[in-house]
C-alpha cells in the first residue's frame, strides 16, 4: 500500500474531493502522470471493470461523450481501452483520462463491494478514513 494507492482509492470512494485529486495529479511530471494512469488501469482491472461501466463513468467524470477518453472507453473491450486511455499524452487529455479512470474505478469497486464485501472484508482500501484537507 503506497501513498499513491491510498489517494487513488480515497478519490474513487469519495473520501477525498475530486478537485484535490486533480491538483495532486497536476503536481506530477508527465512521466509520473503516465505511471499514475497505468496504476489506475491496474486498479480498474482488479476491481473487475466492465465495458458497461463506461457510460456511467463518463457522466460521473463530467466529460462530454466526444472527449477522447470517453470515446475510447465506449469502443470495445474495456481492458484494451483502459491502456489506450492511460497512454494519452496531451496534458488536457491526461487530465480527462485521470478523471475518467477514477470514476471507472469507483463504479467497478462499488459493484464489487456490494457483491463480495457487503458483509465486511479485509481489503485495506475498503477501510480508509475520510482524507484530511
Amino acid at each position: 500500500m503506497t501513498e499513491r494507492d491510498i489517494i487513488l482509492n480515497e478519490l474513487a470512494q469519495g473520501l477525498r474531493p475530486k478537485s484535490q485529486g486533480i491538483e495532486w495529479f497536476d503536481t506530477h511530471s508527465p512521466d509520473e502522470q503516465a505511471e499514475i494512469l497505468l496504476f489506475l488501469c491496474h486498479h480498474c482491472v482488479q476491481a473487475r471493470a466492465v465495458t458497461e461501466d463506461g457510460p456511467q463513468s463518463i457522466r460521473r467524470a463530467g466529460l462530454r461523450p466526444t472527449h477522447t477518453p470517453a470515446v475510447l472507453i465506449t469502443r470495445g473491450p474495456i481492458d484494451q481501452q483502459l491502456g489506450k486511455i492511460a497512454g494519452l499524452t496531451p496534458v488536457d487529455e491526461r487530465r480527462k483520462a485521470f478523471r475518467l479512470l477514477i470514476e471507472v474505478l469507483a463504479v467497478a469497486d462499488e459493484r464489487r463491494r456490494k457483491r463480495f464485501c457487503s458483509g465486511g472484508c479485509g481489503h485495506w482500501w475498503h477501510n480508509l478514513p475520510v482524507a484530511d484537507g
Side-chain angles (χ1 to χ4, degrees):
M1 155 175 55
T2 66
E3 178 185 9
R4 176 196 57 228
D5 294 323
I6 292 170
I7 290 170
L8 296 176
N9 278 283
E10 287 171 343
L11 289 166
Q13 293 175 41
L15 301 173
R16 180 181 295 267
K18 302 290 190 233
S19 58
Q20 193 179 84
I22 292 167
E23 288 174 21
W24 171 80
F25 183 72
D26 286 346
T27 65
H28 292 82
S29 72
D31 287 344
E32 292 168 327
Q33 288 179 348
E35 185 176 308
I36 290 167
L37 293 173
L38 285 174
F39 272 89
L40 257 174
C41 287
H42 175 72
H43 287 316
C44 291
V45 170
Q46 291 298 316
R48 300 183 181 143
V50 295
T51 303
E52 292 77 18
D53 295 337
Q56 182 181 3
S57 301
I58 292 166
R59 281 190 304 279
R60 288 174 59 158
L63 299 180
R64 290 193 307 262
T66 55
H67 285 146
T68 303
V71 169
L72 288 171
I73 201 144
T74 60
R75 293 233 173 131
I78 196 163
D79 55 337
Q80 295 172 8
Q81 300 310 316
L82 290 172
K84 291 176 185 178
I85 293 166
L88 294 171
T89 55
V91 173
D92 287 346
E93 296 302 325
R94 266 195 309 246
R95 229 179 257 129
K96 291 173 195 167
F98 178 75
R99 290 170 40 204
L100 179 60
L101 292 176
I102 287 292
E103 295 305 335
V104 170
L105 176 58
V107 169
D109 191 56
E110 285 171 12
R111 182 180 53 254
R112 183 179 185 193
R113 187 186 292 232
K114 285 177 189 171
R115 184 176 291 159
F116 300 108
C117 302
S118 61
C121 68
H123 298 123
W124 65 262
W125 60 90
H126 287 163
N127 297 294
L128 295 170
V130 174
D132 293 332

